């Protein structure tokens, strides 16, 4: 590891951050139920002298820290707090104490790193302006970022830019990865219900068959990406559920298909939504059955602003050196609700390497655990980012 070393204050907080992180890991809470977690966050921020606001987007918390020097500029740093509805399989001491709940995405670590940064900056607020520490609920599928925005996040706490990070197993410890433009995908869901006249499995000619229609539709859906999307663009259409039928000898009268669609641009997203609907209706018609089509746009793509990304790259290089920052990372087709914040404000979402991810230690795996070795790196990134944006040598906005 070649990074030049985080600031002493952050280094001294390492044992604290690890203790907070493991305590959060042992007490995971899922979307909008983060009562204990947000309570702990608020209590600590208050103890360190921040101005704390709770109940934003149900369980969201914002801690506001003013710099020692006067300044009009303000930025937002964001961490997510929620866990997943999974049963942890780890057996170490800090394993989940909550049945069917698990920090399998490292949001315990994200929360601990941002807390560490808040404490370090509260002890030495050597900047001009305001930092809002945003702790959001419900990142995992329930749009906690949007809930906070709808609850007036950026009216109550105006910021010029907003910043996020995620730990990334499979990427070396001591490295950062980012890219300008889309870095995570739009994550949509669809449900198609085919309805016909079921009947005897031996007399298909007396009814209509939703099963063969469903089979055609599943295959045809795969041609949306291969035949209608520009090969240079990225997209995924996955049918992940097929429900229908109860008896060996009876053709059912309904089959329901469900799945997910991923895309990195609005045009591709529109095309998938439209084509899948056309296919559902026309393939159903070809089989003499009817289709009901529901397409739900969930998270938008997570799009990094070019200027903020260039600045993040500069900050990351100052911590781990040029060789350990990839400014041209690949987007992934996973989703991230920080996307909603980036729709409102320019900013940047970076990936912090968490190590090889051996023995199932991958995101959303029941054997995952956040790598405590990166707590100081993440916290250092936050502190350096504030110094770069609001510190004495910061260029004018
Ligand atoms: Zn996750
Ligand atoms: Zn996550």
């Amino acid at each position: 590891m070649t990074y030049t070393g985080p600031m002493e204050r952050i280094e001294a907080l390492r044992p604290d951050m690890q203790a907070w992180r493991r305590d959060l890991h042992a007490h995971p809470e899922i979307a909008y139920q983060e009562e204990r977690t947000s309570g702990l966050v608020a209590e600590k921020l208050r103890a360190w002298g921040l101005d704390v606001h709770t109940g934003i987007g149900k369980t969201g918390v914002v801690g506001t820290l003013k710099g020692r020097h006067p300044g009009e500029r303000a930025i937002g740093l964001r961490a997510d707090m929620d866990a997943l509805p999974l049963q942890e399989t780890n057996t170490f001491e800090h394993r989940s104490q909550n049945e069917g709940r698990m920090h399998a995405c490292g949001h315990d670590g994200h929360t601990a790193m941002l807390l560490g940064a808040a404490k370090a900056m509260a002890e030495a607020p050597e900047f001009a302006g305001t930092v809002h520490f945003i702790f959001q609920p419900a990142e995992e599928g329930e749009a906690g970022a949007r809930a906070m925005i709808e609850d007036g996040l950026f009216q109550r706490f105006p910021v010029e830019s907003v910043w996020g990070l995620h730990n990334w197993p499979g990427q070396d410890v001591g490295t950062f990865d980012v890219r300008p433009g889309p870095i995570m995908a739009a994550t949509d869901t669809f449900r198609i219900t085919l309805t016909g006249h079921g009947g005897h499995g031996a007399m298909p000619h007396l009814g209509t068959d939703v099963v063969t229609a469903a089979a055609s539709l599943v295959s045809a859906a795969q041609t949306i990406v291969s035949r209608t999307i520009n090969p240079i663009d990225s997209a995924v259409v996955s049918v992940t559920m097929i429900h229908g039928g109860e008896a060996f000898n009876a053709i059912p009268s309904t089959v329901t298909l469900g799945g997910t669609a991923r895309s990195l641009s609005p045009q591709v997203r529109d095309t998938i939504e439209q084509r899948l609907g056309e296919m559902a209706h026309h393939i159903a018609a070809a089989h003499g059955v009817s289709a009901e089509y529901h397409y739900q746009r969930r998270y938008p793509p997570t799009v990094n602003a070019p200027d903020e990304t260039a600045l993040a790259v500069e900050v990351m290089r100052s911590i781990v050196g040029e060789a350990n920052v990839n400014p041209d990372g690949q987007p992934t087709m996973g989703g991230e609700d920080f996307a909603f914040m980036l729709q409102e404000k320019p900013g940047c979402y970076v990936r912090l390497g968490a190590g090889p991810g051996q023995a199932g230690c991958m995101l959303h795996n029941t054997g995952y655990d956040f790598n405590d070795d990166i707590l100081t790196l993440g916290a250092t990134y936050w502190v350096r980012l504030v110094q770069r944006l609001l510190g004495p040598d910061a260029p004018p906005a």
Side-chain angles (χ1 to χ4, degrees):
M1 217 159 57
T2 59
Y3 72 94
T4 50
M7 280 147 289
E8 279 171 20
R9 201 165 268 114
I10 292 290
E11 195 53 54
L13 282 170
R14 179 195 290 265
D16 284 349
M17 282 194 280
Q18 177 165 316
W20 303 333
R21 205 286 292 177
R22 293 190 176 187
D23 175 64
L24 292 170
H25 190 91
H27 302 95
E29 297 169 307
I30 61 167
Y32 300 118
Q33 296 173 18
E34 305 93 339
E35 303 287 347
R36 180 184 184 276
T37 308
S38 61
L40 273 177
V41 166
E43 181 191 307
K44 289 189 193 307
L45 296 174
R46 271 193 202 106
W48 303 330
L50 280 78
D51 193 11
V52 176
H53 305 263
T54 58
I56 304 159
K58 294 194 181 128
T59 41
V61 179
V62 175
T64 299
L65 182 68
K66 294 240 184 250
R68 184 165 287 161
H69 311 287
E72 293 304 309
R73 300 180 62 184
I75 60 166
L77 310 181
R78 168 273 200 180
D80 37 18
M81 300 187 290
D82 59 317
L84 283 152
L86 293 173
Q87 184 63 39
E88 180 162 6
T89 53
N90 293 312
T91 53
F92 45 61
E93 210 175 314
H94 62 276
R95 69 183 178 276
S96 172
Q97 305 296 308
N98 298 348
E99 192 74 19
R101 303 283 184 263
M102 180 188 173
H103 269 297
C105 205
H107 300 182
D108 47 349
H110 302 165
T111 300
M113 288 189 288
L114 192 58
L115 282 173
K119 181 155 199 244
M121 282 186 254
E123 286 169 358
E126 294 302 334
F127 60 90
T130 305
V131 180
H132 297 295
F133 296 86
I134 303 167
F135 293 87
Q136 76 150 81
E139 191 285 323
E140 299 287 1
E142 302 298 328
R146 188 176 59 199
M148 288 188 85
I149 292 165
E150 288 172 354
D151 216 357
L153 176 67
F154 293 128
Q155 283 81 46
R156 294 169 66 183
F157 311 98
V159 296
E160 64 183 40
S161 57
V162 67
W163 306 80
L165 80 73
H166 207 291
N167 80 102
W168 215 258
Q171 183 187 319
D172 289 347
V173 168
T175 68
F176 285 92
D177 186 281
V178 72
R179 75 188 303 275
I183 187 166
M184 304 282 279
T187 62
D188 299 337
T189 57
F190 58 84
R191 182 180 294 275
I192 300 163
T193 303
L194 299 172
T195 304
H197 300 289
H200 201 294
M203 302 166 205
H205 60 294
L206 298 180
T208 52
D209 186 1
V210 287
V211 175
T212 49
S216 296
L217 182 52
V218 171
S219 298
Q222 291 312 309
T223 66
I224 296 174
V225 175
S226 68
R227 301 291 88 181
T228 56
I229 305 292
N230 182 335
I232 304 303
D233 290 328
S234 297
V236 182
V237 176
S238 290
V239 177
T240 56
M241 300 186 284
I242 303 181
H243 299 295
E246 283 169 300
F248 284 113
N249 57 358
I251 296 168
S253 46
T254 64
V255 167
T256 302
L257 308 173
T260 185
R262 307 290 170 111
S263 54
L264 295 172
S265 77
Q267 297 79 0
V268 171
R269 194 182 203 185
D270 289 345
T271 303
I272 294 174
E273 178 173 2
Q274 189 193 331
R275 283 300 292 152
L276 190 56
E278 288 167 358
M279 279 182 175
H281 292 298
H282 291 146
I283 288 171
H287 288 262
V289 303
S290 66
E292 214 180 283
Y293 176 57
H294 296 284
Y295 188 95
Q296 193 185 7
R297 293 182 173 222
R298 295 176 72 91
Y299 291 179
T302 303
V303 182
N304 282 336
D307 292 350
E308 280 69 18
T309 304
L311 192 139
V313 167
E314 213 182 283
V315 170
M316 294 184 287
R317 282 176 174 162
S318 80
I319 303 168
V320 296
E322 188 158 351
N324 292 312
V325 178
N326 180 7
D328 188 28
Q330 270 204 328
T332 81
M333 300 311 272
E336 164 61 60
D337 88 337
F338 186 61
F340 289 109
M341 295 197 188
L342 288 177
Q343 280 188 329
E344 302 292 317
K345 301 286 172 185
C348 183
Y349 174 87
V350 306
R351 295 186 286 234
L352 172 58
Q358 279 156 347
C361 195
M362 299 302 290
L363 299 178
H364 293 208
N365 186 291
T366 57
Y368 168 87
D369 190 31
F370 181 86
N371 184 350
D372 287 333
D373 290 346
I374 65 172
L375 284 167
T376 52
L377 265 178
T380 299
Y381 171 70
W382 290 131
V383 173
R384 288 266 174 101
L385 191 64
V386 172
Q387 286 178 336
R388 175 66 182 73
L389 283 161
L390 307 177
D393 302 325

